[in-house]
Amino acid sequence: RITVALAGLGIVGGGVVHLLQDQADVIARRADVVFDIIAVAARNPEKSRSFTLPQATWFADARDLAATQADIIVELIGGADGVSLDVA
């Protein structure tokens, strides 16, 4: 198991969530690994999304993902400065 924290749940971040959820069986079979999304950061956690992350802890500030126990932090915020630079 590899735990993942995602910073940004826009078009790309949402696509990553869908990929990891929809292809979980294929990934597990081919790579012998399961990715668990344990934490996410998004500007608007109340926004309606086409996926659910019931086990994930939500953060308003992506910098807080560094304090999680995630094996990997994926920064998908966009931009080259501000929070996206701090997370990277």
Side-chain angles (χ1 to χ4, degrees), residues 7 61-64 66 73 75 77 79-88:
D61 189 337
R63 290 176 276 248
D64 294 335
I73 298 175
E75 184 273 310
I77 297 171
D81 56 2
V83 174
S84 60
L85 180 61
D86 293 344
V87 173

Side-chain angles (χ1 to χ4, degrees), residues 4 6 13 17 29 41 55-56 61 66 69 72 77-78 82 85-87:
V4 179
L6 293 175
V17 171
R29 191 171 52 252
Q55 299 89 341
D61 189 337
Q69 297 296 314
I72 299 171
I77 297 171
L85 180 61
D86 293 344
V87 173

Side-chain angles (χ1 to χ4, degrees), residues 41-65:
R43 276 189 285 194
N44 184 359
E46 303 302 320
K47 180 179 175 180
S48 177
R49 294 184 166 82
S50 61
F51 54 83
T52 59
L53 295 166
Q55 299 89 341
T57 302
W58 286 72
F59 294 91
D61 189 337
R63 290 176 276 248
D64 294 335
L65 295 175

